[in-house]
Amino acid sequence: MKDENIYLALVTILAPLSIAAIGGATGIYAPLQHETVELRQWMTSREFIDLFAISRLAPGPGSMLAPIIGWNVAGFGGALLATVALYLPSSLLCFGAARVWNRYRGTPWHRAIEAGLSPVAAGLIFSGILGLLRLGQTGPLSWFTVVLVAGLLMWRPKLHPLLLIGCGALAFFLLHVVAP
Amino acid sequence: MNHPPPVSLAMIYALFFRIGLFSFGGQLSSWIHREVVLVRGWMTNDEFLSGMALSQILPGVNSTNTAIFVGQRLRGGWGATAAIVAMLSGPFFAAILAAIFYKWIIGWEATQSIMEGVAAVALGMLARLGITAGRGAAKGVTPAVAMLATFIGVGVMRWPMLGVVAVIAPISVIVCYLQGRGHEG
C-alpha cells in the first residue's frame, strides 16, 4: 500500500478541503470518505467510520480525523503532512484577514463592523446548537446535561471546564454501568 | 481599549496548548472565550465575538481560525503561529495515540456512553457562550434583530450560511455605523 506518491495524495486530497470547508469541519467528512474509501481504497467503509469515531474521542478540533487517516496510511510523516495540508491554507487566509481587520482598529468603520458582527456570531452559535439538536443522536439525558452545564456556567462563569467534563463522563459512565 | 494588554508568546503558547489538549468533546471556541475574555481579559466580548464571526465565515475549522485571530490580535504573526501550533500539537499526538489503540477503545462498551456525556457537557459550554453573546445582542433593537434573523436563516430555515451572513452582516454593520455605536460591550 505504501508508495512514494501516498504523501502527495494526502496533500492533494486535504489541501483543497482546507479551503472548501466553509462553516467548519463537518463539511470535510463526506469528501474525505469518498477519496479515501471509494476512490483510493486505502480503507474499508467500516474502518473509516471507526476512525471517525476515534477522532471524536480525542481532544481538540473535530478535524483531527486528518492526522488519524494520515497515520493509518503513511505513519508519522503521513499524520504530520495531513495536518499541515488541512490547516495551512485556511490558516494563512484567516491570518491575512485578521491582519487587515486588526490594522483598522479604532476607526469608526471598524467599531461598526465589530458591533455589527457580534450579534451575527450569536445567531450562528444558536444555529450550531440547533443543528446538533437536529441530528437526533442525543437523548433527553444529554439535553438535561446541556441545560444543567449552561446554567451552572451562567451562575459560576469561571468553573473549570475539565471538572465539568470529568463529572459528565463519570455520570454517563455510572449510568451505563447501572442501567446499560 | 485600542491596545491589547501585553501578553508574551509563551503565555499564548501555554494557554492554547492547554485548550487543545484538554478540550474533550469539541466546541473549542467556548473554551477560548472563557480563557481569553472571562478569565484573562485579553479581549473584550465584542472583539472576540466579531473575530469568531469572521472565523466562521472564512473557510477552515472555526476554532483554529478563532485561535489565529486571537493570536494575531495579541502578538501579530508570531502570536498567531504560537496559538495554532500550540492548539494543534497536543491533539495531534493524542490523535495518534487514539489511532494506535483504536480497536481497544472502540471495543470497550462504555466508550459510547462516556463520549455522550463529554459531548453534552461541551455543548452546554457552547450554550453558555450563546447566552453570553445573546445577552450582548439583546441590548439594542438592531443587534437583536440581526441575531434573530441569522438564527432563523441559518438555524431554522437552513439556508446557506454564507448567503445569509452576506445579507444580514452588511445591514447590521451599516446601521451600527449610522448609529455611531462604539464597542461598549
Side-chain angles (χ1 to χ4, degrees):
Chain A
M1 185 152 80
K2 194 160 177 163
D3 64 85
E4 287 303 303
N5 288 328
I6 205 151
Y7 297 115
L8 188 67
L10 278 171
V11 172
T12 52
I13 291 170
L14 288 161
L17 284 181
S18 176
I19 293 299
I22 292 170
T26 42
I28 71 169
Y29 299 137
L32 198 53
Q33 179 175 28
H34 180 67
E35 289 278 355
T36 54
V37 177
E38 281 144 40
L39 286 186
R40 294 173 208 261
Q41 299 180 339
W42 283 343
M43 59 193 73
T44 65
S45 203
R46 178 74 226 170
E47 278 172 320
F48 184 88
I49 290 166
D50 280 352
L51 292 181
F52 173 70
I54 280 297
S55 78
R56 292 182 51 204
L57 253 171
S63 46
M64 295 319 274
L65 179 59
I68 291 182
I69 285 178
W71 170 267
N72 254 43
V73 297
F76 187 81
L80 197 61
L81 203 60
T83 310
V84 172
L86 184 64
Y87 281 101
L88 193 61
S90 62
S91 294
L92 286 176
L93 193 70
C94 179
F95 175 71
R99 216 175 119 165
V100 171
W101 170 251
N102 285 325
R103 185 178 299 159
Y104 292 99
R105 185 161 295 280
T107 62
W109 270 110
H110 189 280
R111 282 200 295 272
I113 292 173
E114 203 163 90
L117 275 186
S118 293
V120 173
L124 289 176
I125 292 169
F126 284 119
S127 304
I129 294 171
L130 184 68
L132 288 166
L133 175 71
R134 271 221 179 88
L135 286 178
Q137 290 166 334
T138 37
L141 185 66
S142 289
W143 288 106
F144 172 75
T145 309
V146 171
V147 174
L148 183 73
V149 167
L152 268 175
L153 284 171
M154 289 310 290
W155 177 52
R156 286 267 185 273
K158 292 182 183 178
L159 214 58
H160 203 279
L162 260 190
L163 179 74
L164 294 169
I165 285 175
C167 288
L170 187 67
F172 276 65
F173 171 69
L174 290 177
L175 276 165
H176 172 84
V177 173
V178 174
Chain B
M1 272 291 287
N2 279 331
H3 293 285
V7 178
S8 71
L9 286 176
M11 282 158 83
I12 296 175
Y13 193 92
L15 173 64
F16 281 96
F17 184 78
R18 263 194 314 126
I19 292 177
L21 196 58
F22 293 137
S23 57
F24 291 94
Q27 321 305 348
L28 278 77
S29 295
S30 55
W31 279 78
I32 302 175
H33 178 266
R34 174 190 187 271
E35 302 292 339
V36 169
V37 179
L38 293 182
V39 177
R40 288 172 177 74
W42 288 351
M43 270 186 173
T44 65
N45 210 30
D46 267 3
E47 237 179 312
F48 180 88
L49 288 173
S50 58
M52 196 175 152
L54 195 74
S55 305
Q56 282 174 291
I57 299 163
L58 292 170
V61 179
N62 298 337
S63 53
T64 51
N65 279 352
T66 305
I68 288 169
F69 182 86
V70 172
Q72 203 284 331
R73 167 78 177 118
L74 295 172
R75 286 300 299 263
W78 287 113
T81 310
I84 180 129
V85 171
M87 199 159 92
L88 289 178
S89 48
F92 176 78
F93 289 103
I96 288 177
L97 278 180
I100 295 171
F101 295 109
Y102 91 94
K103 287 214 160 66
W104 179 82
I105 301 170
I106 291 254
W108 194 37
E109 261 181 49
T111 302
Q112 192 62 35
S113 302
I114 292 172
M115 272 177 65
E116 250 176 63
V118 171
V121 172
L123 202 53
M125 289 167 60
L126 184 66
R128 197 278 307 160
L129 178 58
I131 295 167
T132 305
R135 270 187 176 173
K139 277 191 279 187
V141 177
T142 319
V145 171
M147 173 176 70
L148 206 63
T150 306
F151 174 68
I152 291 173
V154 178
V156 180
M157 304 305 292
R158 298 163 98 171
W159 290 329
M161 190 258 288
L162 271 186
V164 174
V165 172
V167 172
I168 295 170
I171 299 174
S172 170
V173 168
I174 288 168
V175 175
C176 283
Y177 182 75
L178 294 176
Q179 289 173 342
R181 43 173 71 232
H183 57 91
E184 61 267 315

